[in-house]
Amino acid sequence: MPDKYLLVFLIVYLPSQILKFRTGTSEKRQNISESEMENKLQQYRNREILHIFNAFVHNQTTGGILLLLCAIVAVVMATVPGGEWFDRMWENSASISVGNFSIDMTLREWINDALMAVFFFVVGLEIKREMLVGQLSSIKRSILPIMAAAGGMLVPAIIFTIFNHGNPDTAHGWGIPMATDIAFAVGVLSILGDKVPPGIKVFLTALAIVDDLGAIIVLAIFYPTHAIHFSCLLYVALILLVLYIFNRMHVKNKLMYIIPGLFMWYFTYQSGIHATISGVLLAMVIPARGTINELKFQNKIEYLLKKFKLTSNAQINILASPEQQHIIHSMNQEILKVDPLMHTFESKLHPVVTFLIMPLFALANAGVALNFNNFGEGIPSLALGIFFGLLLGKPIGIFLFSFISIKCRMAAMPSGITWAQLAAAGVLGGIGFTMSIFVNGLAFNDPILTDIGKISILITSTTAAVCGLAAIRCTCKEKAAKLTAAQILPENKNRIKAAPGIESHKEKPTK
């Protein structure tokens, strides 16, 4: 009888318990799987939020909006009664003293001479990057933005000189209408979203970078702050030589460039050349390559990933094993070796420039009372030179030189855009806020002329933004096709490989 019960137990009860156990285990595994999936989704959301924040930080559009708000605040504080304290605040003295050594400047001078050197350092890094791996990396690819920028600087300077010829008080301001503010220009383009062809964005960005380079050269040569001291320039050259040696020796310690860079800034400041030029000089000697090549980095990372996989215990916490921690540390060291110091500086300083230095510059320098009393009975030649130089000279120079370079087959028309769209982009080049105000402050010692220049720059830049937006809107009515960078500004100067649906400019057969 017991054997019968045992047989029933083995046939009926035990299989049911086994099935129940397996079902419970399966449900537990399913719950774990759902929990892991939720954790992965949460991690993905966190990464997306971080990506969105980084995109926000590096977005020129956001920087342009913040810059505009700070300029409005400065103008309002200078115009409303009782707001004089805001302008006087920037005239407060701030000094640095160490023993017998001291530097004494106003807050406005610290912003314009010291913080703006960081701005020019980042600009120099951007120019260097574009010349090495970007749209200016080859003569064939860069000839169009170089020619367009040259026209956009030369024609406005000529127009300004025509209006101010024979006036020794204002003739020196010919550099004011030469600059383009990339943050505002890209910000205006972003309003229309995907209707703007990518070719216009790439063309305008490359043009503005070359424009910045031209403005830096003009600033260094034609707008010294005082008499040139060649002994200080010799010290600058020696420091630059030492930093170049560091570059060739693949030194990647940031302090080995920052500390000598500070000394170079001081000697540049004392030399008579504007101190901000030291930022560009420092950018020239920052290493643009890692200490290991791409193949070595790839092999090392693949080896470490395989090693990490072998030591993995399939747990969510990947730091459970000390060996895994060591592997992750090794991977981080390899990434540091392959990542150029130039990229590190640019990525770290770009948000500082966008959200701190440029807003402070606008607050300290854009303030001007909009009472127009200084204009007298008529419009001064200074205001006319700036207005017509930026609003007409910029688009005429950009379009004319682009037209000549393309028709002479020195450059190729960017894919996916028309002549009308190219002309509309040239109108946006007339937005010359930041660099124009910067040069305006160096060109004149008379506060009345400085204020006239500021008012003219603000009015003209606003007009150029409105007219440029209207022109882009009229010429870009449909959603633009997506193109790669190689298709927009190609290597071949005579032929453009068109994207699907885009008619190409074919090379004419030669006999």
Side-chain angles (χ1 to χ4, degrees):
M1 193 68 179
D3 294 336
K4 294 181 180 180
Y5 287 113
L6 179 61
L7 183 62
V8 171
F9 174 81
L10 293 176
I11 296 175
V12 179
Y13 181 76
L14 186 59
S16 65
Q17 294 299 315
I18 294 175
L19 180 62
K20 183 178 180 180
F21 173 77
R22 293 187 62 183
T23 304
T25 304
S26 176
E27 292 176 355
K28 185 176 180 181
R29 288 179 179 174
Q30 184 177 0
N31 292 335
I32 293 176
S33 177
E34 292 176 354
S35 177
E36 291 178 351
M37 182 62 68
E38 182 64 28
N39 289 333
K40 289 181 179 180
L41 288 175
Q42 185 62 39
Q43 293 174 5
Y44 176 78
R45 294 190 195 101
N46 293 337
R47 286 196 300 269
E48 284 298 304
I49 293 173
L50 182 62
H51 173 73
I52 294 172
F53 176 76
N54 289 334
F56 171 82
V57 169
H58 293 282
N59 197 318
Q60 290 279 9
T61 303
T62 308
I65 295 173
L66 181 60
L67 193 62
L68 176 62
L69 293 176
C70 290
I72 293 174
V73 170
V75 172
V76 170
M77 294 303 296
T79 304
V80 299
E84 296 82 4
W85 64 269
F86 188 79
D87 183 68
R88 291 197 301 267
M89 176 183 67
W90 305 107
E91 295 299 328
N92 290 327
S93 178
S95 61
I96 296 178
S97 300
V98 179
N100 296 328
F101 172 81
S102 65
I103 302 179
D104 189 9
M105 294 191 293
T106 64
L107 291 176
R108 182 178 283 113
E109 289 173 339
W110 277 110
I111 293 172
N112 294 346
D113 292 339
L115 291 185
M116 285 299 287
V118 181
F119 165 77
F120 276 89
F121 175 62
V122 174
V123 170
L125 292 176
E126 291 176 348
I127 294 172
K128 185 175 181 178
R129 169 173 47 79
E130 289 296 317
M131 294 180 68
L132 292 175
V133 296
Q135 297 302 328
L136 307 178
S137 58
S138 68
I139 296 178
K140 293 180 180 180
R141 178 175 292 177
S142 63
I143 191 66
L144 180 62
I146 289 176
M147 289 292 292
M153 291 185 290
L154 182 61
V155 176
I158 293 175
I159 292 178
F160 183 92
T161 303
I162 292 174
F163 279 99
N164 293 271
H165 178 69
N167 188 345
D169 295 329
T170 60
H172 194 52
W174 55 269
I176 297 174
M178 294 177 64
T180 296
D181 196 301
I182 183 60
F184 281 139
V186 174
V188 172
L189 284 179
S190 67
I191 296 176
L192 298 179
D194 55 7
K195 289 186 178 181
V196 180
I200 291 183
K201 298 178 182 178
V202 173
F203 169 74
L204 190 61
T205 302
L207 181 151
I209 290 175
V210 179
D211 196 290
D212 286 339
L213 179 59
I216 290 168
I217 296 173
V218 169
L219 190 68
I221 298 176
F222 298 101
Y223 293 95
T225 55
H226 53 75
I228 302 298
H229 295 163
F230 290 98
S231 59
C232 293
L233 290 179
L234 179 60
Y235 293 138
V236 171
L238 291 175
I239 295 174
L240 200 62
L241 177 61
V242 171
L243 292 175
Y244 175 76
I245 295 174
F246 288 166
N247 185 324
R248 302 300 296 177
M249 295 175 60
H250 304 291
V251 176
K252 292 198 65 175
N253 191 324
K254 299 183 185 68
L255 293 178
M256 298 297 288
Y257 295 92
I258 294 176
I259 295 176
L262 293 175
F263 283 98
M264 186 166 64
W265 172 86
Y266 174 75
F267 287 118
T268 306
Y269 172 74
Q270 295 292 337
S271 69
I273 297 176
H274 202 274
T276 54
I277 302 300
S278 62
V280 182
L281 296 177
L282 180 60
M284 291 171 54
V285 294
I286 297 299
R289 292 182 175 86
T291 55
I292 60 176
N293 58 34
E294 180 181 350
L295 182 60
K296 184 177 180 180
F297 171 76
Q298 182 178 349
N299 293 335
K300 185 69 174 181
I301 291 298
E302 288 179 352
Y303 166 75
L304 290 174
L305 284 174
K306 291 178 181 179
K307 188 176 179 181
F308 183 85
K309 185 177 181 180
L310 291 175
T311 58
S312 175
N313 53 10
Q315 297 294 322
I316 297 177
N317 185 7
I318 60 174
L319 298 180
S321 168
E323 187 174 2
Q324 288 178 331
Q325 296 181 31
H326 176 72
I327 295 172
I328 294 174
H329 177 73
S330 299
M331 293 174 68
N332 183 59
Q333 292 299 314
E334 295 300 318
I335 292 174
L336 292 177
K337 290 179 182 179
V338 77
D339 189 26
L341 189 60
M342 182 181 74
H343 175 263
T344 302
F345 274 121
E346 187 177 359
S347 60
K348 298 295 183 182
L349 291 177
H350 198 284
V352 176
V353 169
T354 303
F355 293 99
L356 178 63
I357 295 178
M358 296 309 298
L360 283 175
F361 173 81
L363 291 172
N365 294 275
V368 58
L370 299 178
N371 53 22
F372 299 97
N373 291 331
N374 295 330
F375 282 72
E377 296 180 357
I379 301 178
S381 60
L382 171 61
L384 292 174
I386 294 174
F387 183 83
F388 289 106
L390 283 173
L391 194 61
L392 294 181
K394 272 290 185 179
I396 291 174
I398 291 172
F399 183 83
L400 180 62
F401 277 58
S402 298
F403 182 83
I404 293 174
S405 61
I406 293 174
K407 290 301 180 180
C408 293
R409 306 186 67 80
M410 293 186 296
M413 183 74 164
S415 294
I417 72 174
T418 63
W419 286 108
Q421 292 170 344
L422 189 66
V427 178
L428 291 178
I431 305 175
F433 179 78
T434 305
M435 285 300 298
S436 294
I437 289 182
F438 192 80
V439 175
N440 179 74
L442 297 175
F444 310 119
N445 294 323
D446 188 349
I448 295 178
L449 293 178
T450 303
D451 287 346
I452 293 175
K454 287 182 181 180
I455 295 175
S456 304
I457 293 168
L458 292 174
I459 293 175
T460 308
S461 296
T462 303
T463 306
V466 174
C467 294
L469 178 61
I472 293 291
R473 181 67 182 86
C474 292
T475 57
C476 304
K477 297 181 179 180
E478 299 179 356
K479 186 176 180 180
K482 295 182 179 181
L483 302 174
T484 64
Q487 292 169 328
I488 295 170
L489 289 178
E491 281 288 342
N492 193 320
K493 66 180 180 181
N494 293 324
R495 183 187 302 139
I496 293 182
K497 295 179 180 179
I502 301 296
E503 184 178 354
S504 62
H505 301 264
K506 295 182 179 181
E507 180 180 358
K508 295 182 180 180
T510 57
K511 294 181 180 181

